[in-house]
Amino acid sequence: MAGPTRAVVADDSHFMRSVISDILAEGGIDVVAQAKNGREAVDAVVEHEPDVVTMDVEMPEMNGIEATERIMAERPTPVLMLSAHTDENADVTFEALDKGAVDFFTKPGGEVSMEMSRLKDQLVDIVVSVASVEVGGRTRRPRRPTRGGGGASTVESASYATNPTLVIGSSTGGPKMVEQVLSDLPSSADLRILVVQHMPEGFTGRFAERIDARSGYDVREATDGARIGGGEALVAAGDYHMEIKNYRNGRLRVKLTQDEPVNSVRPAVDVTMETAADVIDDTLVGVILTGMGEDGADGIRRIKAAGGRTIAQDEATSAVYGMPKRAVETGCVDSVLPIDDIASGILDTIRTEVTS
C-alpha cells in the first residue's frame, strides 16, 4: 500500500511555511522539506523527490514561476501555486500554470492563521489531488496554434444547429483544458458558451481575458444581467453562482447570486447547468472537464433529461478524474473523450446534415 503523500513547502515567510506545514501534517501529508525561496525549492525537489510542491508566487532569489520551470525541466513534479488575492498575483499565477503548475490555491488575507485553519480541509484535499497528477510524461498543452481552432476545411464547410449553447464545467487542472477547448472551437459554430471554473474572486476576470486572447470567441467575465449571443462566452465570476435567467431570440441573460455554496463551491457547475436545462429550448451541450469532487453530475443529469447532449473528459487526460468520473457514473454522459477530441465532440453534437 502506498505511503502518505510527500510534500515540499516553499514560502518566503517562516510563519506561512509553519502554518502550511502544520496543516498538511495534520491532514496526513508528510512534509519532507521546507524552502524559503525558489532555489531552495528546486534543490529540495531534487534531493527529496516529493509527490507535490506547494509554491509561493513571490519569493527572493528565485520566484515561484522560475522555480516551477526549473522543476519541470529537472525533475517534473506536480506543483500547487499558493497565491495572494491581487491582480498582479493573478497574472503571475496564470504564468506559472503556463510553466507547468497544475493548479493554485489562494492565500487568505487578514488573520492568516485563523483563515488558513478554516480552509485547511480544502488545502489538504487539493494538495492530495494535485499530487496524483502525472506531469512530464504526457503533454496536455493546447496543440492547435490557429486562433479560433478547427482549421480543417471540413470544419469550415460544416453546417451547425441554430443557436446552440455550450456549458463547460471544470475544477482542478481545468484552466488550461478550458483554454484548449475554446481555442479549438471555430467561431463559425456560433455557440453561446458558459464556463464555470472553480476559481476565486479576482482571478476569473484574468482567466476570461486569457481565453479571449486565445480563441475566436468574445469572452468576458460574467456580470449580473449580462447577455450573450452567438460567438460570445461568459466565465462565471469568482464567488458567484451564474444562473441562466432567460433566453429569447438566440440571446441568453445570466443572473449572479451569492446563494449558499453548492457541492461546497461557488460558483457551482450544477447551478449553471440546471438553470440552462430549465430555460434553454434550443440545442444544449454540457461538458465536464478535469476536477475533484462531484460538481456537475446533477447538472449533466438535468441537461440529458432536457434532451441535451453530454460529454466528459476521459481519465487519461484529466489532471484529476473526479468530476468527470462522477458525471459518467450518472449514466447520462453520451461521450467520454480525451481533451484533444472534446472540441470535435462538441461540434459533432451540433452539426447538421448539409443538403446539396
Side-chain angles (χ1 to χ4, degrees), residues 84-91 94 104 106 199-207 221 237-239:
H85 269 279
T86 66
D87 288 344
E88 181 181 353
N89 270 294
D91 290 335
F94 282 117
F104 67 92
T106 52
M199 190 176 284
E201 186 178 9
F203 288 79
T204 46
R206 290 292 192 272
F207 183 45
E221 183 182 38
D239 203 32

Side-chain angles (χ1 to χ4, degrees), residues 9 11 13-24 34:
V9 173
D11 199 295
S13 162
H14 179 271
F15 172 71
M16 285 303 300
R17 288 198 304 275
S18 299
V19 169
I20 295 165
S21 296
D22 288 347
I23 288 173
L24 297 185
Q34 297 182 15

Side-chain angles (χ1 to χ4, degrees), residues 147 178 182 193 195 204-205 207-222 228 231-235:
R147 178 178 168 88
V178 173
L182 265 72
I193 302 177
V195 175
T204 46
F207 183 45
E209 291 172 5
R210 284 171 59 88
I211 304 173
D212 182 69
R214 291 164 168 76
S215 77
Y217 282 75
D218 179 8
V219 185
R220 62 188 188 277
E221 183 182 38
I228 60 169
E232 298 178 311
L234 291 176
V235 173

Side-chain angles (χ1 to χ4, degrees), residues 288-301:
I288 298 294
L289 302 179
T290 175
M292 63 181 183
E294 61 182 11
D295 190 26
D298 285 340
I300 286 292
R301 286 191 188 96

Side-chain angles (χ1 to χ4, degrees), residues 109-122:
E111 294 294 329
V112 175
S113 59
M114 292 177 60
E115 283 290 292
M116 285 300 287
S117 178
R118 182 176 65 83
L119 298 171
K120 64 182 181 181
D121 290 342
Q122 293 178 33

